[in-house]
Amino acid sequence: MFKFDNTSRRSNLKSGIGLRDPHLEQIIEEKPNIGWFEIITDNLINADEKTLQMLEKIRSDYPFSLHSVGTSIGSVDDLNFDYLKELRKLSERLEPFSVSEHLCWSGAHGVHLHDLFPLPMTEETVLHVAERVEQIQEFFGHEILIENVSAYTDFVESEMSEPEFITQIARKSGSGILLDINNIFINSKNLGLDAKKYVSEVPKNLIGEMHLAGGEQREGYILDSHNCRVWDEVWDLYEYALGSYGQIPTLIEWDNDIPELSVLIDEAANANRRIDSICVI
Amino acid sequence: MRDLASIQKDFLNGVLKENKNKSLSVYRDLVVTNHLSALKDVYPVCLRIVGEKYFSYLSEIYLEKRPTNEPDLNVYGHDFSDFLLNEITEREELSELGYLSEVTEFEWNIYSASRKDFVPNSPEEIISKIVSNENVDVIFILNPSLSLSVFNYPIIEIWKEHQNEEVGKIELINSKNYVVVWKHNKDVVYQNIDENEFNFLNLLSQKKSFNELSEIYSDKEKELENFIATSINNGWIVDIEIIV
Ligand SMILES: [Fe+2]
C-alpha cells in the first residue's frame, strides 16, 4: 500500500528543464547550472546503448525525473505491461527522484492514438483509474505522480470538479500529483474553470512536482503547444501556487521548436527567482 | 448516462472520422498531424513519389482503417506497405505505382534496422565458437536487424534514384529481386542477393540447426559451407547457440 505525502520529505529542488537530444553533448561538456532534468521515457524505449550511457553520465551530475506519455492510465483496455516493463527498466537504470504519468487516456477498444485525452470526471472513472494507478505502483515498487492534462472538451457525464477528481484518485491510489500550472490556465480559458480556486483545492501534501509551459492562441481556444516561453498569466498563477504550496520542484516544459539551451536555462532562472522570493522553507 | 467504455468508444469514433463537433475536431487535427509526421519520417521516398498532398490523404485513410494499439509512436506505420498493397488494387490513381508498396516495405526495413541496437561478435569470434563446438549441433543466430524481402520491381534502384535531387527515368523491369537489409557496424546496408542465398537465409530465420541444414544440403556440402562463410563475413550471422 502506497501513500504519497511530501510533508516529511520535502524536496529542496527548485526548477529543472527537459533533457532533449540537441542539448546532450553541450550539457556533458559545459555542465550548466541547472537544478535537475526531466526525461521523457517514451523517447528512450529501444534507445541505443550509447544514448543511455550519455544519459547515465549526465545523471551522475544531476537529479532526474522520468515522465511518460503512453501508459493510457484512464483507458478501459488492460494496462500494457510490456510498455510498463520498458519504463521500469529505464527507471531502475536512471534512478529518478520522481516518476510521473498523465491522468488521461490515449486510446481504448484496441486503438492507441498517441495523444492525451481528458477523462469524464465520474465516480466510475475515479475507481477505475485509482485501481490502475495502484497496479502500476505495485509493478514499479514505488509511488508515482499523476498529472492534470490540458483539455479542449469536457463531458456532460462529469460529476465533480477537476481538482476534486485528481485529488480523489491520488488519495485512493496513494499516488502524488504533478500539478501542471499551464494546463490549469489553459483549461480555465478553454473550459471556463476558476484557476485559483483549482490551485487552492488541491492538497499541498500531495504535490510532488509542478510544470510550466507556453501555449499558443488558436481560433477559439489555447493549444497546449509547449513551443514557447511561459505566458505572463501562467507565471502569475505559478506565484499563487508557490504562495499556497511552498517550494516544489518545477519543470519548464518545452517539447516543440526546441530553442538554444540558454533560453531554457533563462526560463528556469525565472522560476527560481519566484521560488526564492515567495517561498520560505 | 454513458459509462466510461462507451464514452471512450464515442470519443474515438469522433476523432477517427471527419466530424463537425468542434471540440473533437481539435483532437482529430492533433492526432492526424502527429501520425502524419511519424509516417513522413519513416517513408520519405513514398512521400516523394506520391507528393505531399496525396501522402497526407493516404495517411488519414491509413489511420482510420488501421489504427494501432502500440503506445510507441516510433513503431507506427509497420503495416503501411501492406495497407498500400490493398489501396493499389482499389484506387485508379495508384494503378501506375505498382511498386509503391514494395518501396515502403524496403523503407520500413531500413528504418527498423537503423533502430536496432546490439553488440555483434566479430567473424573471428563466431568461427572460433564454431570450432570449439564441433561435436555438438548448433543454431546460427541471425543479425537481429536483418530483414528479407522478395520484390517484383528493382526496389533498390528505385529507392536510390529517389535520393537524388532530380529523379531520372527508372526502367521497371518485372523480375524477382531478393533483397536483404541489415545493420553492419552502425550503418544500415542493403544488397540484392540470389535466390539460393535468399533461401539459405530463410532457413536460418526458421532456426534450422546445423545438422538439419546438412541434411537439406546433403548433396551440396560445399555450397552450404560457402553460405555459412559468406553469412558470417557479411554480418548476417552474428552468433551461434548450442543445442542442448
Ligand atoms: Fe505537463
Side-chain angles (χ1 to χ4, degrees):
Chain A
M1 191 61 201
F2 298 96
K3 191 169 185 298
F4 182 90
D5 191 334
N6 67 17
T7 34
S8 57
R9 48 182 177 106
R10 275 193 96 76
S11 168
N12 56 5
L13 294 174
K14 294 178 184 174
S15 67
I17 64 171
L19 188 60
R20 300 293 179 262
D21 272 356
H23 303 141
L24 289 184
E25 272 167 25
Q26 190 184 353
I27 288 165
I28 290 177
E29 253 168 52
E30 297 174 9
K31 288 199 186 158
N33 184 14
I34 292 173
W36 54 279
F37 289 107
E38 178 223 56
I39 315 285
I40 302 275
T41 37
D42 299 70
N43 296 342
L44 291 178
I45 292 177
N46 290 319
D48 58 39
E49 188 54 30
K50 194 177 146 225
T51 309
L52 290 170
Q53 281 171 6
M54 265 175 125
L55 290 179
E56 278 176 326
K57 196 161 169 32
I58 299 175
R59 174 68 186 89
S60 62
D61 292 315
Y62 301 90
F64 277 4
S65 78
L66 293 193
H67 191 48
S68 41
V69 293
T71 311
S72 198
I73 288 185
S75 169
V76 292
D77 285 357
D78 288 344
L79 284 169
N80 181 338
F81 279 93
D82 289 338
Y83 172 80
L84 291 172
K85 230 179 259 168
E86 292 296 320
L87 302 191
R88 188 172 66 180
K89 225 164 54 191
L90 283 167
S91 177
E92 283 166 357
R93 192 152 171 187
L94 296 172
E95 299 178 345
F97 67 86
S98 85
V99 172
S100 54
E101 180 52 275
H102 300 83
L103 176 53
C104 72
W105 63 292
S106 306
H109 307 289
V111 172
H112 198 292
L113 291 183
H114 312 99
D115 204 334
L116 308 174
F117 302 135
L119 285 158
M121 292 175 278
T122 63
E123 287 297 333
E124 184 203 359
T125 314
V126 168
L127 293 176
H128 175 69
V129 176
E131 195 195 314
R132 286 159 67 93
V133 172
E134 267 183 277
Q135 280 184 53
I136 295 168
Q137 295 180 141
E138 289 290 339
F139 186 70
F140 286 171
H142 58 74
E143 293 139 2
I144 63 165
L145 305 179
I146 48 171
E147 179 184 2
N148 59 305
V149 293
S150 55
Y152 311 103
T153 191
D154 48 13
F155 301 92
V156 286
E157 284 83 356
S158 287
E159 299 160 341
M160 62 190 87
S161 70
E162 213 183 294
E164 223 180 315
F165 180 63
I166 195 165
T167 304
Q168 276 203 31
I169 293 171
R171 285 221 167 108
K172 278 202 161 56
S173 65
S175 78
I177 292 174
L178 192 175
L179 200 64
D180 189 312
I181 299 297
N182 181 53
N183 289 348
I184 296 180
F185 168 73
I186 287 182
N187 290 2
S188 78
K189 295 294 170 194
N190 289 354
L191 306 171
L193 314 184
D194 181 336
K196 281 191 175 166
K197 189 160 174 278
Y198 190 133
V199 168
S200 61
E201 281 176 12
V202 179
K204 156 181 175 171
N205 66 317
L206 292 184
I207 302 172
E209 197 181 318
M210 291 201 276
H211 276 180
L212 293 169
E216 201 178 294
Q217 183 67 58
R218 295 276 178 96
E219 218 186 303
Y221 65 98
I222 300 174
L223 181 74
D224 186 18
S225 54
H226 294 192
N227 65 346
C228 57
R229 283 186 183 260
V230 178
W231 287 19
D232 286 345
E233 292 103 311
V234 178
W235 282 123
D236 290 346
L237 189 59
Y238 179 58
E239 288 174 9
Y240 182 76
L242 288 176
S244 309
Y245 310 138
Q247 180 177 332
I248 303 274
T250 303
L251 176 79
I252 304 293
E253 285 193 293
W254 200 316
D255 301 302
N256 298 304
D257 309 326
I258 294 173
E260 295 280 310
L261 184 61
S262 58
V263 176
L264 297 178
I265 294 176
D266 187 51
E267 279 294 74
N270 287 335
N272 282 352
R273 241 193 350 268
R274 286 169 169 91
I275 293 172
D276 291 338
S277 71
I278 295 170
C279 308
V280 187
I281 303 172
Chain B
M1 203 171 91
R2 295 178 303 169
D3 64 1
L4 184 60
S6 40
I7 290 174
Q8 294 190 341
K9 191 167 197 169
D10 293 346
F11 190 98
L12 288 175
N13 283 336
V15 172
L16 283 172
K17 297 196 174 73
E18 286 270 30
N19 67 83
K20 293 201 178 72
N21 181 332
K22 177 91 174 86
S23 52
L24 282 191
S25 71
V26 175
Y27 285 107
R28 180 175 167 82
D29 289 350
L30 289 170
V31 166
V32 165
T33 311
N34 200 12
H35 289 86
L36 171 63
S37 100
L39 281 190
K40 279 182 173 174
D41 285 349
V42 185
Y43 298 112
V45 171
C46 176
L47 170 65
R48 231 184 134 184
I49 292 171
V50 300
E52 188 89 30
K53 207 169 153 205
Y54 196 74
F55 190 85
S56 306
Y57 171 68
L58 283 174
S59 158
E60 269 191 53
I61 299 174
Y62 174 62
L63 179 67
E64 213 174 283
K65 283 194 178 172
R66 300 200 180 188
T68 169
N69 192 23
E70 172 53 68
D72 184 3
L73 193 57
N74 289 312
V75 292
Y76 180 66
H78 71 280
D79 62 351
F80 191 53
S81 158
D82 187 58
F83 157 80
L84 287 175
L85 194 63
N86 265 325
E87 296 302 307
I88 287 166
T89 57
E90 285 170 14
R91 292 174 182 277
E92 180 66 38
E93 69 272 24
L94 292 178
S95 59
E96 301 276 286
L97 296 175
Y99 54 86
L100 199 60
S101 161
E102 293 187 352
V103 171
T104 47
E105 181 181 333
F106 184 62
E107 287 194 283
W108 179 259
N109 292 346
I110 289 182
Y111 171 76
S112 321
S114 74
R115 299 185 68 244
K116 281 274 170 1
D117 185 41
F118 58 95
V119 186
N121 294 302
S122 69
E124 295 72 30
E125 283 169 318
I126 302 167
I127 289 164
S128 88
K129 262 189 177 184
I130 295 174
V131 171
S132 58
N133 290 291
E134 232 175 358
N135 301 321
V136 286
D137 196 11
V138 296
I139 289 175
F140 296 100
I141 305 294
L142 272 182
N143 185 321
S145 70
L146 183 140
S147 63
L148 295 166
S149 301
V150 188
F151 296 132
N152 295 309
Y153 294 92
I155 291 305
I156 292 182
E157 287 68 30
I158 296 172
W159 184 87
K160 269 189 182 161
E161 195 55 45
H162 284 85
Q163 308 302 313
N164 302 332
E165 218 156 282
E166 294 252 324
V167 179
K169 185 136 181 59
I170 308 152
E171 243 190 282
L172 295 176
I173 311 153
N174 237 304
S175 69
K176 287 233 174 315
N177 284 262
Y178 299 90
V179 174
V180 56
V181 175
W182 76 105
K183 194 173 184 180
H184 191 53
N185 301 331
K186 305 269 169 221
D187 295 318
V188 175
V189 275
Y190 44 83
Q191 191 180 309
N192 276 310
I193 53 179
D194 69 31
E195 190 178 353
N196 296 330
E197 279 177 308
F198 180 89
N199 290 339
F200 171 71
L201 288 175
N202 231 342
L203 291 170
L204 292 191
S205 73
Q206 292 161 24
K207 292 196 179 292
K208 294 275 184 242
S209 73
F210 179 70
N211 286 350
E212 287 169 318
L213 291 167
S214 303
E215 222 162 276
I216 296 167
Y217 289 87
S218 55
D219 52 345
K220 295 177 277 189
E221 223 170 274
K222 192 80 205 145
E223 193 175 358
L224 176 62
E225 248 172 57
N226 285 340
F227 283 153
I228 293 173
T230 310
S231 300
I232 292 173
N233 282 330
N234 284 352
W236 297 338
I237 289 175
V238 288
D239 206 351
I240 60 161
E241 197 182 287
I242 298 151
I243 298 176
V244 188

